Structure formats: C-alpha cells, structure tokens
Amino acid sequence: MTWLGFAPTALVAVAVVFLPGALVATLLRLRGLAILAVSGPLSISLIAVAALGAGAVGVPWSAFPVAILTAIAATAAWAWARWAGRSRRRRVKSTVADRVTLIIALVVPFVAICVLLMRSMHDPEYFSQRYDNFFHLNAVQYVLDTHNASPLWLGTMTSPDGTLPFYPSAWHATVALIVQLSGASVVSATNAAIFAVAALIWPLGAVFLVRSILGRGRVITVAAGVLAASFPAFPYLPLHYGVLYPLFLGLACAPVALATCWWATRPGRVLRRQDWILLLVLLVPGIGVAHPGGLLAVVALSVPMVVCGLVWRNRGVSPASRIRPALLLVAYAAAGIALLVVVRPPADQIYWPTILSIPHAVGEIVTAAVYGYPAAWLAASFIVVGAYSVVRRPTYARVVVLISAVIGSALYIVVSASSSETLRNWLTGPWYNNPPRLASIWVLAALPLAAVGADHVVRWILRARSVATVRRWTQRHVIVTSLLLGVTLAIGVQGPALRQASADIEYTYQMRADAPIVSPDEMALMSELDRLVPDDAVIAGDPYTGASFAYALSGRRVLMPHLLMNVSDEMVLINEEFATQGNDPQMCQALADTGVRYILDFSSDGDFMDNNADFDGLSALGNSPYATLIAQEGDAGLYAVSSCGLRP
C-alpha cells in the first residue's frame, strides 16, 4: 500500500480519536488550544467507557455505543455549562502572530513525527515484529470477531478460564473502530492509530501542558512543540520495544490530565475551577483503561501540583486553619499508597532486573540518553539550563516543573539502578520494574523543564548587545521568527538519538529475509489465508515462528493467538504430537474440540527467541501422513489436516 492510499484510513483514525471528545469539549465551553488538546484524550475516555458499558449489557462493539455515550455526555456537558457557567470564561486576547506561532508549534512536531514514522515503517501494511504485538494485533481481531471490547473481556483471548480478569483495552477498542469505519486491515488501522496518537494527541497535550503551567510565551510555545518530537524515549521507544501500545496511548493522553490537574489545584484565582475538576474526572477512565501505568504516571507527576497547591494556599494562616489541608494531605498520601498497592501487575510479572549503576543512570538523565540511547545534547542542555534557571529565579510554576522532573528522574534511577528490591517493588513495581516504561515517563517529566531551558537560552541570546539589530528584527517579524526558531530547533534535535530511534523502529518493521520474526515468504502465505482457509476453521502453528500473526493478518482463528496463554490438554496434545500421532483417537477428539483443520509450518526458519515450549507436532509436516500441503511460499507451508476422516 502507498502512503497516499493510507490517507483515508489515517483520516478515519483522526476522526475516531478526536470527534467525540471535540463535541463534549465544545459544549463544556473550552476554547482554542484547550479544545484541541482535550478532544483526543476525552474521546479515548468515551471509547473506554462505551466499551465497558457495551460489554456489560451485551451490545455489539461498534461506533453505535460510542455515539450513544457521546450524545449522553454532550447533553450532560451542555447542562453543566448552562448550570455552572453563568459567568463566562474570560477570553484571553490573542494576536494573529500568537495564533500563527501556536500553529507553528503544532505543525513542526506533526511533520517531524510523521516523517520519522513513515521513513521507519516503509509501508502502512507492515507491522512491528515484536513479542507483545502478537497480542495487540490479534486482540483487535478478537474484538472484531467477538463484538466485545470490554477490558473485562479482552483477556479471555488468552485466558478463557477468566484468570486474566482485566486487560487495558482502550487501544484495541479504538483500532477496532478504525477497522470497522474504514474497512482497512488490522495492521493498517493500527498504524493509523499510531500516527494519530504520536503526531497529534501527544504534541497537542505537551504544548497545552507547558502553556498551562509556564504561560503563553512564543518561545516556550514553539520549544514545547519541537521538544515533543525530540526525545527518543517517547513517543518512539514504545513503538519498537514491546511493543507497548496501551502504555503509549495512556502516556500520550497524560499531559492533558496533568494540565487539567494544574488548573484544578493551582493557588490563586482560577476561572471556572470546577470545569477543570470535572474534566480531570472525565479523563481518568480513558487513561486508566488505556493503561493503568499511564494513570499512575499522572498521579506521580502531579504530586508537586497537589502538595505545593495545598501548602501554598494555606501559608500565613492560623495553626487551627491548617488542620483541614493537613488532613487532605494525609488522605492524598493514603490514596497514593493504596494505588501503589492495588494498581500493579501480578507479582510474578514484576521481574525486570536493574540494568545500570546509579552513576550511569544519573549520567543518562543528565545527557537525555535514558535507556541507552545516544546523548541528545541539545535537549540535555535545555534541561540543565532549565534547572539552573529555576534554582536561580524560582516561581511557583517553575518550582512545580522542577520537582516533577526530579520525580520522573528519580523513578528512572530507582528502576534502572537501585540495589534495593523493596524500594523498586514499591515505587516502580506498578510499571513491572521495567526501565523502558519509566524512560518514557521521564520524557513527560523532563519536557516542561527543557522548555524552560530553551526559553532561557533564546532570551539570553537576544539580550546580548551584539545582537541588538537581530533583536529588533525579531520583534518586528514575530511570525517569521517563530518559524525560524521552530525549524532551527527541529534541525538541531535531529541528532544520533533520533536517528537511533528511527533505526530501531525500522528494524522491527522492515520486511526482509532476516526480519525479527516473519519472513517475506511467510507474510505472503499468511496474506492468502482468507482465501485458502474457511472462516470456521482453526489454524495451528508454532507461535514462536510467527504463525500466530495469521489471526490478525487473515481473520482466520488460530489455536495459539499469543505466546503466553492458558493451554488446554487438547492444545498440548496437538502442539506436541500431531505430526506422529495424527490419527490417534485422543488426537481426533482434540482436533474436533479445538476446530483445528489447518496447520502453518514455518519451522525451517526456527523460533525468533529461546523458549522451552514443545511444538514438535507442528513442524516438518512434509514427512507426516496426517497432513496435506495445499499452499507454499518458499519454505513456508500451509497444510490441511487429512487424518481422523478429514479431507483437505
């Protein structure tokens, strides 16, 4: 598929992730950048709640339950604005130059992120050949087949017995909607969702967060936008490590939640504070169902906003008046501890070890090289200058930004290098003690501080006497200056770190003979399965050879849709003994119970990772009398079961 042919699917993705939230945000009387930034995360909340509700009442998953919930939410938003909005929000006057500057701040990262992704993916029908993508791609197809996108249902794909009672499903529900509305393949819809989230939701949220806390200055606005595309650890790392699509979605929505938390908790007079509190409540379900780790990131990075807000508002009051805020702080701390205890994966999944020494981890923070990326010197210098600027001239907002950056940095150092497993399990266990996840969260924490540093550097340059003529020119040509600043910063950050991020994504996407999991021949064979295999048949295959991708690529059910799943006795029998015991009565019963009629044999390429699983019964079928070859691409073969009275 060409990128031009991909455009309609991408437009449908943008509509899915923006239009529902835009309607509700408009009726809540948000304006300008706020409505643009809030629309995406609010749409994800509507999709997440609709998926949960539709699954509970048995309504098939489609755009219909989303439309119904959006209509209800829009009506409630109109009533809320009418009831609580007697005093209209004060409009902040903006000039044409301000608006153009904001456009530049959003267009530059949009173009930069899209270009990097297009260059790395090569083709909209390619997919990231990574371990977790077996689940994510197949889970979208599972939603389409079962008509249920509830987080209380999705885990049954791999655990039919209900041992996985909750799996964050907002990503899969969203991609399934894109498939239904566009007619695109699961892979193409997944890539469209990646573009919508990475190039739109994320930079909009980042700019909105920075402007909310640090003001509407032109330099800081442009810097925030460019920096959103400048850190390899986010949004790029989750697209090739894992892949971590649910966390990627949750973290992309997190800046908007942090911005609303800022407006809800900051001291002083805030117009319509109740609107921001309501909006924060509305955003929580989407981020939580996207990924609980995204919600916990919001909680962790909002600690300085809440604590400093309570302390600041009650300074100078009598001791008796401090009792209430003290109780609120205690309650807030108790709620945070409860979240750390409850919102975490099972203990047997928190097994990632440390990867660095503490000095090395600190060095990665200082050089903006988290998780072993090459140093991003421009971004790193902005962070250092930003920290210096805050310490030298602290204000309430800048101190909050600095503390948030310290929290994000401390979490990364703990997960990467702490020798205390107790400390790691308490503080970073909710993120599986997994350094890449905390590296992505660090970007959320560091970006506002880097924007402070960029603003300080540009202002320092323009204050120099030697550039007085340049300063006067920039004051007269604000729009051109903003454009030049954006382009200059964008070029400046395109260093080894981003080149490495691009190469990492390309490595997992590029279709080639030595691809990580699936070869071109195997891909070609799986793309023909919808023609070769009846839609009521089940395909067996060794998942460690990539055969499980057949479900998402063809829509035909597979025996093992993921590598980690609850395996029945019948499945074990087929996996281990079909090639040699294909006509045994127990085998015939197992085939009948599971519906297996076809087998994909990719055994010549071997497994993509070391494992102790036994799939000998599904390999070397050319020598088995119980299977008949019906299609072949290179060394990849599709066999029909020809035992137990079955005929190909």
Side-chain angles (χ1 to χ4, degrees):
M1 176 186 285
T2 66
W3 289 108
L4 184 61
F6 174 70
T9 306
L11 291 175
V12 171
V14 172
V16 167
V17 301
F18 278 94
L19 289 185
L23 176 60
V24 176
T26 300
L27 293 173
L28 283 174
R29 297 185 180 178
L30 297 179
R31 297 292 182 268
L33 176 62
I35 195 171
L36 292 174
V38 165
S39 294
L42 196 52
S43 292
I44 299 302
S45 261
L46 291 168
I47 291 171
V49 175
L52 186 61
V57 301
V59 175
W61 181 242
S62 68
F64 177 71
V66 179
I68 294 298
L69 182 62
T70 301
I72 295 172
T75 303
W78 173 82
W80 171 274
R82 184 176 179 83
W83 171 68
R86 293 177 182 174
S87 60
R88 289 183 173 273
R89 186 185 305 278
R90 179 174 58 88
R91 290 182 178 273
V92 178
K93 293 183 178 180
S94 61
T95 64
V96 173
D98 292 332
R99 292 192 291 271
V100 173
T101 297
L102 180 58
I103 292 172
I104 292 169
L106 298 174
V107 169
V108 170
F110 173 81
V111 172
I113 292 172
C114 285
V115 168
L116 187 146
L117 292 179
M118 291 169 67
R119 185 174 63 234
S120 303
M121 292 179 176
H122 290 281
D123 189 293
E125 289 289 352
Y126 288 175
F127 58 92
S128 182
Q129 297 188 35
R130 279 298 191 228
Y131 181 94
D132 287 323
N133 219 12
F134 285 103
F135 184 94
H136 296 314
L137 292 181
N138 287 340
V140 174
Q141 187 62 49
Y142 188 66
V143 169
L144 296 169
D145 284 352
T146 62
H147 310 291
N148 192 337
S150 171
L152 305 180
W153 167 258
L154 195 64
T156 62
M157 184 183 78
T158 57
S159 304
D161 57 357
T163 54
L164 186 60
F166 174 89
Y167 193 92
S169 66
W171 173 266
H172 314 90
T174 302
V175 176
L177 287 176
I178 298 170
V179 173
Q180 291 173 331
L181 295 174
S182 68
S185 67
V186 169
V187 171
S188 182
T190 296
N191 288 332
I194 289 172
F195 276 89
V197 174
L200 288 173
I201 290 181
W202 161 245
L204 278 166
V207 173
F208 181 54
L209 173 63
V210 170
R211 282 168 60 97
S212 295
I213 300 177
L214 299 169
R216 297 154 52 89
R218 297 189 182 102
V219 174
I220 210 164
T221 296
V222 173
V226 175
L227 288 168
S230 304
F231 291 94
F234 197 83
Y236 311 113
L237 177 57
L239 300 180
H240 69 81
Y241 176 86
V243 287
L244 308 177
Y245 293 148
L247 183 65
F248 163 69
L249 177 61
L251 294 183
C253 295
V256 172
L258 289 170
T260 57
C261 184
W262 165 261
W263 289 113
T265 60
R266 60 161 290 185
R269 184 169 178 266
V270 177
L271 290 175
R272 305 282 299 282
R273 191 187 297 269
Q274 69 272 21
D275 284 6
W276 296 110
I277 296 173
L278 172 65
L279 191 57
L280 182 60
V281 172
L282 294 177
L283 292 172
V284 165
I287 298 175
V289 179
H291 198 287
L295 182 59
L296 284 174
V298 173
V299 173
L301 300 182
S302 65
V303 165
M305 299 178 188
V306 177
V307 174
C308 292
L310 285 171
V311 172
W312 192 279
R313 277 204 299 268
N314 292 278
R315 58 198 178 108
V317 301
S318 63
S321 300
R322 295 176 185 168
I323 295 177
R324 182 170 176 269
L327 292 175
L328 288 174
L329 283 175
V330 171
Y332 177 72
I337 293 173
L339 280 173
L340 286 174
V341 172
V342 174
V343 185
R344 61 172 55 229
D348 61 352
Q349 296 182 22
I350 308 175
Y351 53 77
W352 296 95
T354 58
I355 57 174
L356 304 170
S357 65
I358 288 181
H360 192 171
V362 173
E364 287 194 348
I365 293 292
V366 173
T367 58
V370 290
Y371 198 57
Y373 277 104
W377 292 112
L378 187 61
S381 65
F382 287 156
I383 292 171
V384 172
V385 171
Y388 165 79
S389 174
V390 173
V391 171
R392 185 168 178 268
R393 300 185 64 180
T395 64
Y396 175 81
R398 287 151 63 94
V399 168
V400 166
V401 165
L402 179 60
I403 296 175
S404 182
V406 170
I407 290 173
S409 300
L411 288 173
Y412 179 75
I413 292 170
V414 167
V415 77
S416 299
S418 174
S419 60
S420 171
E421 283 303 306
T422 300
L423 182 64
R424 294 180 80 232
N425 287 334
W426 264 103
L427 292 183
T428 61
W431 296 283
Y432 300 84
N433 278 348
N434 185 227
R437 299 171 195 261
L438 275 301
S440 292
I441 292 170
W442 173 81
V443 174
L444 273 69
L447 190 149
L449 186 62
V452 172
D455 183 63
H456 184 86
V457 168
V458 172
R459 292 180 183 278
W460 177 79
I461 292 173
L462 293 180
R463 281 197 301 267
R465 292 183 179 181
S466 58
V467 296
T469 302
V470 175
R471 182 170 63 249
R472 288 192 295 269
W473 187 90
T474 59
Q475 292 170 349
R476 290 196 301 269
H477 301 85
V478 175
I479 294 176
V480 176
T481 300
S482 298
L483 179 60
L484 290 174
L485 176 63
V487 172
T488 301
L489 288 176
I491 294 173
V493 299
Q494 297 295 317
L498 284 190
R499 288 197 293 272
Q500 183 62 53
S502 176
D504 288 341
I505 296 174
E506 182 179 33
Y507 173 78
T508 70
Y509 267 86
Q510 191 175 21
M511 191 58 59
R512 60 189 188 280
D514 61 340
I517 301 177
V518 177
S519 71
D521 288 339
E522 293 163 350
M523 181 75 167
L525 181 58
M526 287 190 287
S527 68
E528 293 293 318
L529 292 178
D530 59 343
R531 180 179 59 84
L532 299 170
V533 177
D535 57 9
D536 61 343
V538 175
I539 304 171
D542 180 354
Y544 287 93
T545 64
S548 291
F549 280 126
Y551 186 33
L553 295 177
S554 69
R556 298 298 181 258
R557 289 181 299 151
V558 298
L559 187 64
M560 298 278 291
H562 191 33
L563 292 79
L564 291 180
M565 56 185 300
N566 294 343
V567 182
S568 67
D569 292 340
E570 292 84 358
M571 295 167 69
V572 171
L573 186 64
I574 294 170
N575 290 338
E576 296 182 0
E577 300 183 20
F578 173 81
T580 57
Q581 304 293 327
N583 216 25
D584 183 86
Q586 283 187 311
M587 181 67 68
C588 294
Q589 187 61 50
L591 293 171
D593 291 344
T594 59
V596 170
R597 298 292 181 270
Y598 294 84
I599 300 172
L600 278 174
D601 185 1
F602 295 166
S603 56
S604 60
D605 290 334
D607 296 348
F608 75 95
M609 61 179 290
D610 293 334
N611 66 87
N612 297 319
D614 183 359
F615 291 93
D616 289 344
L618 305 176
S619 62
L621 294 179
N623 300 321
S624 173
Y626 309 118
T628 301
L629 180 68
I630 61 171
Q632 187 168 11
E633 292 285 347
D635 293 327
L638 174 68
Y639 290 81
V641 175
S642 57
S643 61
C644 303
L646 298 174
R647 293 291 180 266

PDB file of all heavy atoms in Angstrom, residues 19 57 108 138 180-181 220 226 230 358 362 379 412 429 435 515 528 545 593:
ATOM      1  N   LEU A  19     -13.250  13.424  17.218  1.00  0.00           N
ATOM      2  CA  LEU A  19     -14.592  13.999  17.083  1.00  0.00           C
ATOM      3  C   LEU A  19     -15.481  13.813  18.311  1.00  0.00           C
ATOM      4  O   LEU A  19     -16.140  14.778  18.739  1.00  0.00           O
ATOM      5  CB  LEU A  19     -15.272  13.427  15.839  1.00  0.00           C
ATOM      6  CG  LEU A  19     -14.710  13.904  14.491  1.00  0.00           C
ATOM      7  CD1 LEU A  19     -15.553  13.356  13.342  1.00  0.00           C
ATOM      8  CD2 LEU A  19     -14.641  15.425  14.427  1.00  0.00           C
ATOM      9  N   VAL A  57     -23.742  -4.853  28.934  1.00  0.00           N
ATOM     10  CA  VAL A  57     -25.158  -5.030  28.576  1.00  0.00           C
ATOM     11  C   VAL A  57     -25.340  -5.868  27.315  1.00  0.00           C
ATOM     12  O   VAL A  57     -26.471  -6.097  26.885  1.00  0.00           O
ATOM     13  CB  VAL A  57     -25.852  -3.662  28.403  1.00  0.00           C
ATOM     14  CG1 VAL A  57     -25.766  -2.860  29.684  1.00  0.00           C
ATOM     15  CG2 VAL A  57     -25.248  -2.877  27.238  1.00  0.00           C
ATOM     16  N   VAL A 108       5.203  21.750  13.309  1.00  0.00           N
ATOM     17  CA  VAL A 108       6.578  21.247  13.253  1.00  0.00           C
ATOM     18  C   VAL A 108       6.687  19.837  13.839  1.00  0.00           C
ATOM     19  O   VAL A 108       7.229  18.931  13.194  1.00  0.00           O
ATOM     20  CB  VAL A 108       7.552  22.226  13.937  1.00  0.00           C
ATOM     21  CG1 VAL A 108       8.930  21.587  14.104  1.00  0.00           C
ATOM     22  CG2 VAL A 108       7.673  23.509  13.138  1.00  0.00           C
ATOM     23  N   ASN A 138      -3.655  -9.357  17.380  1.00  0.00           N
ATOM     24  CA  ASN A 138      -4.684 -10.387  17.453  1.00  0.00           C
ATOM     25  C   ASN A 138      -5.854  -9.967  18.333  1.00  0.00           C
ATOM     26  O   ASN A 138      -6.998 -10.367  18.092  1.00  0.00           O
ATOM     27  CB  ASN A 138      -4.082 -11.697  17.956  1.00  0.00           C
ATOM     28  CG  ASN A 138      -3.208 -12.376  16.922  1.00  0.00           C
ATOM     29  OD1 ASN A 138      -3.321 -12.094  15.723  1.00  0.00           O
ATOM     30  ND2 ASN A 138      -2.330 -13.260  17.357  1.00  0.00           N
ATOM     31  N   GLN A 180     -13.571  -0.976  11.501  1.00  0.00           N
ATOM     32  CA  GLN A 180     -14.986  -1.049  11.123  1.00  0.00           C
ATOM     33  C   GLN A 180     -15.406   0.125  10.245  1.00  0.00           C
ATOM     34  O   GLN A 180     -16.173  -0.046   9.292  1.00  0.00           O
ATOM     35  CB  GLN A 180     -15.843  -1.084  12.388  1.00  0.00           C
ATOM     36  CG  GLN A 180     -15.707  -2.373  13.190  1.00  0.00           C
ATOM     37  CD  GLN A 180     -16.432  -2.297  14.521  1.00  0.00           C
ATOM     38  OE1 GLN A 180     -16.589  -1.228  15.102  1.00  0.00           O
ATOM     39  NE2 GLN A 180     -16.877  -3.444  15.019  1.00  0.00           N
ATOM     40  N   LEU A 181     -14.913   1.311  10.560  1.00  0.00           N
ATOM     41  CA  LEU A 181     -15.360   2.506   9.840  1.00  0.00           C
ATOM     42  C   LEU A 181     -14.617   2.741   8.535  1.00  0.00           C
ATOM     43  O   LEU A 181     -15.131   3.424   7.643  1.00  0.00           O
ATOM     44  CB  LEU A 181     -15.215   3.735  10.750  1.00  0.00           C
ATOM     45  CG  LEU A 181     -16.119   3.748  11.990  1.00  0.00           C
ATOM     46  CD1 LEU A 181     -15.775   4.921  12.885  1.00  0.00           C
ATOM     47  CD2 LEU A 181     -17.585   3.804  11.585  1.00  0.00           C
ATOM     48  N   ILE A 220       8.569  29.710  24.380  1.00  0.00           N
ATOM     49  CA  ILE A 220       8.305  28.494  25.145  1.00  0.00           C
ATOM     50  C   ILE A 220       7.257  27.633  24.456  1.00  0.00           C
ATOM     51  O   ILE A 220       7.270  26.409  24.535  1.00  0.00           O
ATOM     52  CB  ILE A 220       7.889  28.846  26.591  1.00  0.00           C
ATOM     53  CG1 ILE A 220       8.325  27.736  27.531  1.00  0.00           C
ATOM     54  CG2 ILE A 220       6.394  29.116  26.723  1.00  0.00           C
ATOM     55  CD1 ILE A 220       8.323  28.124  28.981  1.00  0.00           C
ATOM     56  N   VAL A 226       8.403  21.549  19.513  1.00  0.00           N
ATOM     57  CA  VAL A 226       9.556  20.866  18.901  1.00  0.00           C
ATOM     58  C   VAL A 226      10.091  19.774  19.821  1.00  0.00           C
ATOM     59  O   VAL A 226      10.415  18.667  19.370  1.00  0.00           O
ATOM     60  CB  VAL A 226      10.661  21.887  18.568  1.00  0.00           C
ATOM     61  CG1 VAL A 226      11.908  21.168  18.057  1.00  0.00           C
ATOM     62  CG2 VAL A 226      10.168  22.886  17.535  1.00  0.00           C
ATOM     63  N   SER A 230      11.317  15.325  20.021  1.00  0.00           N
ATOM     64  CA  SER A 230      12.775  15.324  20.106  1.00  0.00           C
ATOM     65  C   SER A 230      13.369  14.281  21.029  1.00  0.00           C
ATOM     66  O   SER A 230      14.583  14.095  21.039  1.00  0.00           O
ATOM     67  CB  SER A 230      13.264  16.714  20.567  1.00  0.00           C
ATOM     68  OG  SER A 230      12.774  17.718  19.706  1.00  0.00           O
ATOM     69  N   ILE A 358      24.114   3.349  39.570  1.00  0.00           N
ATOM     70  CA  ILE A 358      23.487   4.642  39.865  1.00  0.00           C
ATOM     71  C   ILE A 358      24.207   5.793  39.152  1.00  0.00           C
ATOM     72  O   ILE A 358      23.549   6.653  38.548  1.00  0.00           O
ATOM     73  CB  ILE A 358      23.422   4.875  41.389  1.00  0.00           C
ATOM     74  CG1 ILE A 358      22.362   3.937  41.990  1.00  0.00           C
ATOM     75  CG2 ILE A 358      23.091   6.336  41.709  1.00  0.00           C
ATOM     76  CD1 ILE A 358      22.176   4.080  43.484  1.00  0.00           C
ATOM     77  N   VAL A 362      22.313   8.254  36.479  1.00  0.00           N
ATOM     78  CA  VAL A 362      22.320   9.713  36.600  1.00  0.00           C
ATOM     79  C   VAL A 362      22.897  10.344  35.338  1.00  0.00           C
ATOM     80  O   VAL A 362      22.395  11.363  34.834  1.00  0.00           O
ATOM     81  CB  VAL A 362      23.125  10.147  37.846  1.00  0.00           C
ATOM     82  CG1 VAL A 362      23.290  11.669  37.876  1.00  0.00           C
ATOM     83  CG2 VAL A 362      22.437   9.670  39.118  1.00  0.00           C
ATOM     84  N   ALA A 379      18.672  18.783  23.720  1.00  0.00           N
ATOM     85  CA  ALA A 379      17.629  18.617  24.731  1.00  0.00           C
ATOM     86  C   ALA A 379      18.236  18.561  26.127  1.00  0.00           C
ATOM     87  O   ALA A 379      17.692  19.152  27.076  1.00  0.00           O
ATOM     88  CB  ALA A 379      16.825  17.349  24.446  1.00  0.00           C
ATOM     89  N   TYR A 412      13.239   6.782  37.295  1.00  0.00           N
ATOM     90  CA  TYR A 412      14.075   6.082  36.317  1.00  0.00           C
ATOM     91  C   TYR A 412      15.350   5.564  36.971  1.00  0.00           C
ATOM     92  O   TYR A 412      15.786   4.434  36.691  1.00  0.00           O
ATOM     93  CB  TYR A 412      14.432   7.000  35.151  1.00  0.00           C
ATOM     94  CG  TYR A 412      15.317   6.311  34.139  1.00  0.00           C
ATOM     95  CD1 TYR A 412      14.788   5.365  33.266  1.00  0.00           C
ATOM     96  CD2 TYR A 412      16.688   6.569  34.077  1.00  0.00           C
ATOM     97  CE1 TYR A 412      15.598   4.697  32.357  1.00  0.00           C
ATOM     98  CE2 TYR A 412      17.503   5.914  33.170  1.00  0.00           C
ATOM     99  CZ  TYR A 412      16.956   4.975  32.311  1.00  0.00           C
ATOM    100  OH  TYR A 412      17.757   4.312  31.421  1.00  0.00           O
ATOM    101  N   GLY A 429       7.266  -0.976  40.867  1.00  0.00           N
ATOM    102  CA  GLY A 429       6.588  -2.235  40.598  1.00  0.00           C
ATOM    103  C   GLY A 429       5.346  -2.089  39.729  1.00  0.00           C
ATOM    104  O   GLY A 429       5.078  -2.953  38.888  1.00  0.00           O
ATOM    105  N   PRO A 435      12.632  -0.721  33.038  1.00  0.00           N
ATOM    106  CA  PRO A 435      13.246   0.575  32.740  1.00  0.00           C
ATOM    107  C   PRO A 435      12.702   1.298  31.517  1.00  0.00           C
ATOM    108  O   PRO A 435      12.532   2.520  31.558  1.00  0.00           O
ATOM    109  CB  PRO A 435      14.733   0.231  32.588  1.00  0.00           C
ATOM    110  CG  PRO A 435      14.920  -0.965  33.459  1.00  0.00           C
ATOM    111  CD  PRO A 435      13.654  -1.756  33.307  1.00  0.00           C
ATOM    112  N   ALA A 515      14.194 -10.663   8.886  1.00  0.00           N
ATOM    113  CA  ALA A 515      13.326  -9.899   9.780  1.00  0.00           C
ATOM    114  C   ALA A 515      13.244 -10.587  11.138  1.00  0.00           C
ATOM    115  O   ALA A 515      13.485 -11.794  11.251  1.00  0.00           O
ATOM    116  CB  ALA A 515      11.933  -9.775   9.162  1.00  0.00           C
ATOM    117  N   GLU A 528      -2.704 -14.809   2.217  1.00  0.00           N
ATOM    118  CA  GLU A 528      -3.606 -15.578   1.359  1.00  0.00           C
ATOM    119  C   GLU A 528      -4.541 -16.490   2.151  1.00  0.00           C
ATOM    120  O   GLU A 528      -5.368 -17.193   1.562  1.00  0.00           O
ATOM    121  CB  GLU A 528      -2.783 -16.427   0.382  1.00  0.00           C
ATOM    122  CG  GLU A 528      -2.004 -15.624  -0.645  1.00  0.00           C
ATOM    123  CD  GLU A 528      -2.936 -14.919  -1.624  1.00  0.00           C
ATOM    124  OE1 GLU A 528      -3.935 -15.549  -2.060  1.00  0.00           O
ATOM    125  OE2 GLU A 528      -2.689 -13.753  -1.949  1.00  0.00           O
ATOM    126  N   THR A 545       7.423 -19.172  15.758  1.00  0.00           N
ATOM    127  CA  THR A 545       7.887 -18.944  14.392  1.00  0.00           C
ATOM    128  C   THR A 545       7.146 -17.785  13.726  1.00  0.00           C
ATOM    129  O   THR A 545       7.420 -17.457  12.572  1.00  0.00           O
ATOM    130  CB  THR A 545       7.689 -20.209  13.531  1.00  0.00           C
ATOM    131  OG1 THR A 545       6.279 -20.483  13.425  1.00  0.00           O
ATOM    132  CG2 THR A 545       8.386 -21.398  14.138  1.00  0.00           C
ATOM    133  N   ASP A 593     -12.532 -30.926  19.179  1.00  0.00           N
ATOM    134  CA  ASP A 593     -12.839 -29.962  20.243  1.00  0.00           C
ATOM    135  C   ASP A 593     -12.296 -28.574  19.938  1.00  0.00           C
ATOM    136  O   ASP A 593     -12.927 -27.562  20.269  1.00  0.00           O
ATOM    137  CB  ASP A 593     -12.263 -30.458  21.578  1.00  0.00           C
ATOM    138  CG  ASP A 593     -12.991 -31.683  22.114  1.00  0.00           C
ATOM    139  OD1 ASP A 593     -14.108 -31.960  21.623  1.00  0.00           O
ATOM    140  OD2 ASP A 593     -12.439 -32.359  23.006  1.00  0.00           O
TER     141      ASP A 593
END
